[in-house]
Amino acid sequence: MSLIKATNIKKNYRVGEIDVPALKGIDFEIEKSAFVAIVGPSGSGKSTMLNLIGCLDHPTSGKLLVHDTEVSKLSRNEAAAFRGEHLGFVFQDFNLVPVLTAYENVEYPLLMVRGWAESKRRERVMKILEAVGMADQAHKRPDQLSGGQKQRVAVARALVGEPKLVLADEPTANLDHDTAYRILNLMKQMRDESGTTFVFSTHDPKIMGEAEVTFILEDGVLSRQGAQQ
Ligand code: ADP
Ligand code: ADP
């Protein structure tokens, strides 16, 4: 059974008087536990596709099912609750909270969404910060971290609550070779142990090489390479 099923999804952005078509009627299915890369040139619609799957925006038309929920119909509050319950999102610009430390940024979903007790939170946050190689920087705020370090904190925050689905916009763009592989291996391990589904947008040949399914976007039109549907 598919975790994600999209039927004839179109997305137009309204710019002044003009509709800019970003996705031109795309169909796709993503199985549970898949490791999926979305590749394509800048402006081809990758971020738009991730944002729709992640319930950050609505399609202009079409049907989008995630985990048996028609997310294209959720209200803003319902979408927020759905994201908290099921999704982890690694944003291209990280979206870390500037006034919180790395530790507090990663702890946030466990505190605000999961409502875990302090000792359980601490154990889990330190474990995931260790896994991304950021435990020794836990006390720093985002403005004290490099781009690659912020990216690793953003990955830790997306993974900490062990969501069913992790969406990541260029998650290795700021990482050196070894760190990128460390992060990819962490994600693969989580997929193997917990059945987490990962969907990335990327220009990075390392991720393309690791992906089992590759979607290619060109000017808002999608094609698929790899395992058969
Ligand atoms: P990338 O190509 O790496 O996805 P972009 O520069 O296309 O990054 O987009 C970065 C952000 O700016 C995205 O959140 C996108 O939605 C937004 N964006 C892109 N193009 C426009 C535009 N023409 N008008 C307003 N916002 C845009
Ligand atoms: P990619 O992630 O592949 O770079 P995007 O999804 O960011 O592509 O953008 C796809 C198209 O939609 C581009 O033409 C971009 O300029 C446009 N676009 C994206 N976000 C916005 C926005 N918020 N407002 C207007 N146009 C946008």
Side-chain angles (χ1 to χ4, degrees):
M1 202 205 71
S2 303
L3 180 72
I4 306 171
K5 184 167 168 44
T7 312
N8 200 17
I9 295 291
K10 295 183 183 163
K11 177 67 184 177
N12 298 331
Y13 292 103
R14 190 84 185 160
V15 180
E17 298 292 299
I18 304 164
D19 269 335
V20 179
L23 296 174
K24 298 176 178 172
I26 65 172
D27 297 276
F28 62 92
E29 287 189 47
I30 293 174
E31 303 295 319
K32 186 176 178 301
S33 305
F35 217 69
V36 179
I38 305 168
V39 304
S42 188
S44 58
K46 302 183 296 297
S47 300
T48 300
M49 186 170 158
L50 282 178
N51 289 346
L52 295 181
I53 299 171
C55 313
L56 296 164
D57 201 355
H58 284 298
T60 305
S61 64
K63 187 171 166 184
L64 179 57
L65 291 171
V66 179
H67 201 257
D68 284 337
T69 299
E70 187 161 355
V71 295
S72 31
K73 293 205 171 135
L74 296 180
S75 71
R76 190 176 284 261
N77 284 341
E78 288 167 340
F82 185 84
R83 281 200 302 276
E85 177 74 16
H86 299 295
L87 304 185
F89 208 108
V90 183
F91 294 90
Q92 198 171 28
D93 54 3
F94 319 125
N95 269 19
L96 298 175
V97 182
V99 296
L100 299 182
T101 64
Y103 181 95
E104 289 163 342
N105 267 282
V106 175
E107 183 187 37
Y108 196 81
L110 300 182
L111 182 65
M112 300 307 286
V113 183
R114 297 275 190 271
W116 286 12
E118 158 80 30
S119 62
K120 195 176 170 192
R121 291 200 306 269
R122 173 160 292 273
E123 191 183 337
R124 176 68 189 150
V125 171
M126 288 316 293
K127 192 174 164 201
I128 194 82
L129 282 173
E130 198 78 57
V132 299
M134 287 296 293
D136 56 346
Q137 313 284 325
H139 58 287
K140 292 191 178 165
R141 287 195 320 269
D143 64 1
Q144 300 171 294
L145 300 173
S146 72
Q149 290 173 329
K150 282 190 278 228
Q151 189 151 43
R152 285 186 276 162
V153 174
V155 168
R157 183 181 56 183
L159 302 186
V160 71
E162 301 194 319
K164 294 182 187 71
L165 173 61
V166 175
L167 303 166
D169 207 346
E170 303 271 359
T172 57
N174 300 279
L175 305 180
D176 63 57
H177 183 272
D178 289 352
T179 311
Y181 270 109
R182 178 177 186 159
I183 298 296
L184 278 175
N185 286 334
L186 173 66
M187 291 175 166
K188 272 257 160 98
Q189 187 188 347
M190 192 167 149
R191 192 281 296 270
D192 292 343
E193 288 173 0
S194 310
T196 314
T197 306
F198 285 89
V199 183
F200 309 97
S201 76
T202 191
H203 289 106
D204 184 347
K206 290 189 283 299
I207 292 195
M208 296 180 208
E210 294 289 322
E212 291 144 4
V213 179
T214 305
F215 288 115
I216 300 163
L217 261 176
E218 260 169 307
D219 201 17
V221 177
L222 191 72
S223 57
R224 178 180 169 124
Q225 271 185 357
Q228 293 301 304
Q229 305 211 33

